Amino acid sequence: MRLSRFFMPTLKEDPKEAQIASHRLMLRAGMIQQSSAGIYSWLPLGHMVLKNIEKIVREEQNKAGALEILMPTIQPADLWRESDRYDDYGKEMLRIEDRHGRAMLYGPTNEEQVTDIFRSNVKSYKDLPLNLYHIQWKFRDEVRPRFGVMRGREFLMKDAYSFDLDYENSKITYNRMFVAYLKTYARLGLQAIPLRADTGPIGGDLSHEFIILADTGESEVFYHKDILNLPTPDAKDHSPEELQTLVDEWTSYYAAADEMHDAENCTVGEGDLITRRGIEVGHIFHFGQKYSEKMGASVAGPDGKDVNVSMGSYGIGVSRLVGGIIEACHDDNGIIWPEEVAPFKVGLINLKSGDDACDAACDEFYNKLQAAGVDVLYDDTSDRAGGKFAKMDLIGLPWQVTIGPRGLKSGVVEFKNRASGEKEELSPEAALEKLIG
Ligand SMILES: Nc1ncnc2c1ncn2[C@@H]1O[C@H](COP(=O)(O)OP(=O)(O)O)[C@@H](O)[C@H]1O
Ligand SMILES: [Mg+2]
């Protein structure tokens, strides 16, 4: 992509409304634009990152056996009356009336909707287990939307819903999702910690929150320092026994958010207990028959008797992760994208656009990267060099290649790693080799 043809409305000054780094940097890099409180448009650069995160989340859900569907954003209130949550959900739910006076709502979550799909179609234990997910916008009329996409009113969530015959089986599904989450966050370049969590309005008896550490996180977390040394589970398929072993290992270390932390009874030694702030990037729940009982989601069991299925739900805050990753990965100059989610892998800077030799060398470099399928943003504008460098640092692409008249004379380009700041002078061929590999 040539910057001259791209739409990336960057800001030189810090926007006043932004209190935390990710919000400030997303606005400055031209990734999002606020529409109203907690509701954003995603501009090209932001949209690319959102899609990259979504892709990784999707791949890991698919690998874990979940099936992708797409449920609507607008749901009928009647479904929520069946589960008794229509009144319980309170003011966070955006209630809408259609032209016929029917009560509708903009979904804050989809347990009722998916249970309705299940009960209309699945009748036998032979069709279990079933795990359905979608990646869809949610609306929650938060009292205090803030920090940009971190606590929005409209936000993108991956939510999966599992159906099993009994507790034993749904525990296996829960464990499989738990492990899939660890793999997902690792692929996003993040170190996530699973915490024992409160089940809140979704209800149930088993729940974990996944948080990433960041000073600007909304919750205070307490954890045993060694949990950070646990290796990410392998990419392979795990048997139910292996899944249980992994979950046991990860949950054997103390880790809890402030509402669950009990200082009096915490057994972790003083030097081992770390207190920091964290951002909740995922939340999984096992809630058994809570919805299946109320909504009549049952199947014929092996003995022919009807059983209410045992369910769980599994959320990942996809749009929140864009901000979360920036909180975890930035410096004074801007964002530092982990390679897997970066909007482009390479930023190419032409130090003297309009100069024939520079233009030719840059075009050639650009074309070769394009031909090799490497995503590159080419700053071919006539801006000053200082402005170009600052902009590239701000948008945080993993690699920067700078081509200018002086280097060209000695046959070199400058090759920079955004994360470490390390620079080397390389021949264009050697630089291409590193990027195409
Ligand atoms: N207002 C919000 N803005 C952005 N992301 C959110 C918001 N609320 C929840 N999420 C994301 O969706 C995930 C699942 O939500 P859930 O646990 O049901 O919400 P909550 O913790 O607010 O009850 C959360 O872990 C979080 O990453
Ligand atoms: Mg939660």
Side-chain angles (χ1 to χ4, degrees):
M1 175 63 63
R2 286 172 185 269
L3 187 58
S4 60
R5 311 248 172 90
F6 198 45
F7 178 57
M8 191 174 81
T10 53
L11 306 173
K12 288 214 177 65
E13 304 297 324
D14 282 341
K16 280 189 293 294
E17 69 267 33
Q19 299 163 33
I20 63 170
S22 58
H23 189 194
R24 182 164 44 82
L25 291 169
M26 286 181 76
L27 291 170
R28 283 199 51 205
M31 294 175 64
I32 50 168
Q33 176 166 319
Q34 183 172 315
S35 164
S36 60
I39 304 181
Y40 291 87
S41 295
W42 292 78
L43 307 184
L45 196 75
H47 187 244
M48 287 171 158
V49 176
L50 188 69
K51 289 288 152 184
N52 290 345
I53 294 172
E54 202 182 297
K55 177 169 176 277
I56 291 173
V57 169
R58 173 177 291 116
E59 283 172 7
E60 293 302 324
Q61 290 295 294
N62 292 347
K63 280 190 213 159
L67 301 170
E68 187 168 9
I69 60 174
L70 185 58
M71 292 178 273
T73 52
I74 308 290
Q75 304 176 26
D78 282 346
L79 272 182
W80 287 66
R81 293 198 172 103
E82 288 189 49
S83 68
D84 293 330
R85 282 210 297 179
Y86 188 62
D87 295 324
D88 286 0
Y89 219 94
K91 289 199 162 168
E92 278 203 2
M93 182 187 276
L94 181 64
R95 294 151 208 264
I96 307 166
E97 202 178 277
D98 72 11
R99 67 196 298 164
H100 306 291
R102 275 188 290 256
M104 313 289 284
L105 57 99
Y106 192 130
T109 178
N110 289 68
E111 281 80 6
E112 287 77 0
Q113 185 82 69
V114 77
T115 304
D116 183 49
I117 294 173
F118 180 89
R119 70 178 173 190
S120 339
N121 296 289
V122 183
K123 307 288 177 205
S124 160
Y125 77 97
K126 289 182 193 151
D127 298 322
L128 301 181
L130 184 66
N131 189 347
L132 300 173
Y133 77 98
H134 71 165
I135 301 177
Q136 176 64 293
W137 294 90
K138 306 287 182 287
F139 194 93
R140 294 182 187 173
D141 206 350
E142 303 271 353
V143 198
R144 284 183 65 206
R146 56 185 183 148
F147 302 153
V149 300
M150 300 282 258
R151 181 160 295 282
R153 292 197 295 165
E154 192 182 42
F155 59 96
L156 188 60
M157 197 204 282
K158 182 287 298 178
D159 37 329
Y161 303 88
S162 66
F163 304 87
D164 281 281
L165 186 60
D166 51 26
Y167 180 78
E168 301 317 312
N169 282 296
S170 59
K171 187 77 204 307
I172 297 172
T173 302
Y174 184 90
N175 289 347
R176 185 167 286 120
M177 283 285 122
F178 185 108
V179 171
Y181 273 42
L182 294 174
K183 295 178 184 171
T184 304
Y185 297 119
R187 278 189 62 192
L188 293 169
L190 297 169
Q191 184 157 40
I193 304 179
L195 309 177
R196 273 190 320 123
D198 196 2
T199 51
I202 295 200
D205 56 10
L206 177 60
S207 174
H208 288 89
E209 268 172 19
F210 290 76
I211 60 104
I212 56 173
L213 298 172
D215 295 337
T216 48
E218 287 191 293
S219 34
E220 185 161 49
V221 295
F222 302 83
Y223 59 93
H224 192 293
K225 67 177 184 7
D226 290 344
I227 197 166
L228 296 181
N229 300 329
L230 284 171
T232 307
D234 300 335
K236 65 171 224 166
D237 256 346
H238 295 278
S239 68
E241 294 71 30
E242 290 169 327
L243 290 169
Q244 190 62 55
T245 308
L246 283 165
V247 172
D248 287 347
E249 189 181 16
W250 277 84
T251 53
S252 66
Y253 291 95
Y254 186 82
D258 41 7
E259 67 275 10
M260 292 292 277
H261 178 63
D262 177 359
E264 313 253 292
N265 296 309
C266 175
T267 54
V268 184
E270 221 168 81
D272 292 335
L273 187 70
I274 312 274
T275 309
R276 280 200 56 187
R277 301 201 72 81
I279 301 168
E280 182 194 324
V281 288
H283 199 161
I284 61 178
F285 304 85
H286 175 263
F287 45 72
Q289 300 176 320
K290 178 175 162 151
Y291 298 92
S292 58
E293 210 168 272
K294 285 200 163 129
M295 296 182 66
S298 60
V299 294
D303 56 4
K305 286 203 190 103
D306 271 359
V307 205
N308 291 324
V309 287
S310 185
M311 294 174 57
S313 78
Y314 316 87
I316 289 187
V318 177
S319 52
R320 174 178 288 181
L321 271 166
V322 181
I325 291 172
I326 297 176
E327 287 301 323
C329 314
H330 70 274
D331 63 14
D332 289 345
N333 298 329
I335 304 166
I336 305 175
W337 292 117
E339 202 148 328
E340 283 243 43
V341 301
F344 299 92
K345 179 172 172 179
V346 187
L348 173 62
I349 297 176
N350 184 341
L351 273 188
K352 203 171 177 194
S353 301
D355 173 274
D356 288 345
C358 281
D359 289 353
C362 284
D363 285 356
E364 189 184 343
F365 201 90
Y366 176 66
N367 290 335
K368 285 188 172 155
L369 284 178
Q370 296 263 79
V374 177
D375 290 331
V376 47
L377 182 65
Y378 169 21
D379 190 343
D380 59 343
T381 65
S382 52
D383 292 353
R384 283 182 306 110
K388 289 190 176 187
F389 289 131
K391 195 177 278 182
M392 275 304 172
D393 277 354
L394 170 65
I395 66 169
L397 310 182
W399 303 100
Q400 294 172 14
V401 176
T402 304
I403 301 183
R406 212 164 348 118
L408 279 183
K409 281 203 185 105
S410 36
V412 293
V413 302
E414 188 184 86
F415 189 79
K416 176 175 150 182
N417 177 308
R418 172 67 181 88
S420 67
E422 238 170 90
K423 292 179 188 167
E424 20 174 4
E425 297 211 317
L426 298 173
S427 68
E429 296 72 34
L432 281 168
E433 171 75 27
K434 286 209 179 207
L435 295 170
I436 298 168

